[in-house]
Amino acid sequence: MKIATWNVNSLKVRLPQVLDWLALQQADVLCLQETKLEDKVFPLAEIEAAGYRAAFVGQKTYNGVAILARRERGEIEAVERGIAGFADEQQRVISATIGGVRIVCAYVPNGQSVDSDKYQYKLRWLAALRDWLAAELEKYPQLALLGDYNIAPEDRDVHDPAAWQDQVLCSAPERAAFRGLLDLGLTDAYRLFEQPEKSYSWWDYRMMGFRRNQGLRIDHILLSAPLAARCTACVIDKEPRRLERPSDHAPVMATLDAA
DNA sequence: ATGGCTGCTTTGAGCAGA
């Protein structure tokens, strides 16, 4: 079972790339962030025509998340939107069960800068996510949290750690929040395996960030212990970032052995 | 030192992203 996450920065613009990527990779589950689409205009027909089902929640202009699942994998079950107990107008979380695996698709707030109100919202949001996930893991021991975390967990996930030190995406409180998720018993699938140095999942559109590999690793797949035991690979696919009109994020994909 | 790109918005300059 191949499960993946991709911040597409507008599904309206990136839908052809998403469909091409699914056909190429044959991913079973793809979590999308920043769809930027209201539910009434979500391209469900095109996705179904490609052999996938979808659960989604969105809004105009900002945020928006979706879970796509290959029809052969069966129904998308027990769909839940948002973080229970955390009222939030921003559509950043959707969860569902596919093939016995609880999939949580998350778009963590960006935070803008460490001295902004948005940063405080990000930290509150992450605390609520952790508390909610603690309970979800009791209900669903086979749980994967996939998405755009907007956190580079360690300096090795940053092209220029000195420049980014204490900046948003890299600050100590954000990294502590990331470790708080690991403390729930989750494992960073990417770090289960030997990986190339200077591996990133996001590159700034400006200043030829991608060509110079000036990036950050901020998109992650965290696995509960039973799933980590089944994980045989985790990769960042940089190919879509090379396309015309790319998202600024690359997809991340983990492979799980049969249970 | 600043902004450097992209997508979006009751179309056009400003926002948000990271």
Side-chain angles (χ1 to χ4, degrees):
Chain A
M1 184 178 193
K2 294 160 87 170
I3 64 174
T5 180
W6 193 2
N7 179 325
V8 290
N9 184 22
S10 169
L11 183 58
K12 179 179 179 178
V13 173
R14 236 64 71 185
L15 180 64
Q17 294 184 19
V18 169
L19 297 179
D20 286 349
W21 190 82
L22 287 171
L24 183 67
Q25 299 292 338
Q26 294 289 300
D28 295 287
V29 173
L30 176 59
C31 296
L32 301 177
Q33 300 87 39
E34 284 205 87
T35 57
K36 302 187 179 182
L37 292 176
E38 291 179 290
D39 291 351
K40 64 185 179 190
V41 294
F42 189 88
L44 184 59
E46 292 90 335
I47 287 165
E48 288 182 339
Y52 285 79
R53 306 180 203 268
F56 48 89
V57 63
Q59 62 192 97
K60 192 187 281 195
T61 312
Y62 302 117
N63 310 310
V65 286
I67 300 173
L68 313 188
R70 282 181 80 184
R71 190 181 299 121
E72 288 80 358
R73 283 287 168 180
E75 298 290 338
I76 298 179
E77 301 171 304
V79 175
E80 291 187 31
R81 292 168 178 82
I83 298 170
F86 183 79
D88 192 356
E89 291 179 2
Q90 302 188 26
Q91 305 299 344
R92 296 181 172 277
V93 177
I94 189 165
S95 314
T97 301
I98 297 144
V101 175
R102 189 63 177 172
I103 299 289
V104 180
C105 170
Y107 175 45
V108 176
N110 168 279
Q112 198 165 62
S113 67
V114 296
D115 56 2
S116 71
D117 292 344
K118 290 174 182 176
Y119 180 80
Q120 296 303 322
Y121 162 68
K122 179 179 191 174
L123 295 181
R124 284 200 311 277
W125 194 97
L126 284 163
L129 177 72
R130 181 202 57 216
D131 291 348
W132 172 68
L133 277 176
E136 291 296 291
L137 281 160
E138 295 288 323
K139 277 163 70 177
Y140 304 107
Q142 304 219 50
L143 184 147
L145 174 64
L146 307 90
D148 176 359
Y149 289 60
N150 272 315
I151 301 171
E154 301 176 47
D155 277 353
R156 62 176 164 164
D157 302 310
V158 181
H159 71 92
D160 185 345
W164 281 89
Q165 176 153 25
D166 299 327
Q167 300 297 308
V168 73
L169 315 191
C170 300
S171 72
E174 290 164 89
R175 287 179 168 176
F178 186 85
R179 285 195 301 276
L181 297 172
L182 301 182
D183 289 343
L184 296 173
L186 298 172
T187 298
D188 183 347
Y190 195 70
R191 295 301 181 198
L192 282 172
F193 307 97
E194 188 131 351
Q195 301 289 1
E197 285 190 30
K198 304 185 193 311
S199 288
Y200 310 122
S201 66
W202 169 87
W203 301 263
D204 202 309
Y205 281 127
R206 298 166 295 184
M207 295 291 287
M208 297 188 293
F210 181 68
R211 283 173 53 169
R212 298 156 73 181
N213 197 30
Q214 295 187 342
L216 304 174
R217 192 176 72 94
I218 55 176
D219 301 270
H220 308 295
I221 299 176
L222 299 194
L223 300 174
S224 66
L227 292 186
R230 291 168 54 186
C231 186
T232 58
C234 185
V235 297
I236 298 169
D237 182 7
K238 291 167 74 170
E239 289 308 313
R241 191 63 176 77
R242 305 183 205 281
L243 299 172
E244 291 284 326
R245 265 191 116 180
S247 168
D248 43 358
H249 295 253
V252 184
M253 180 162 65
T255 306
L256 305 177
D257 259 352

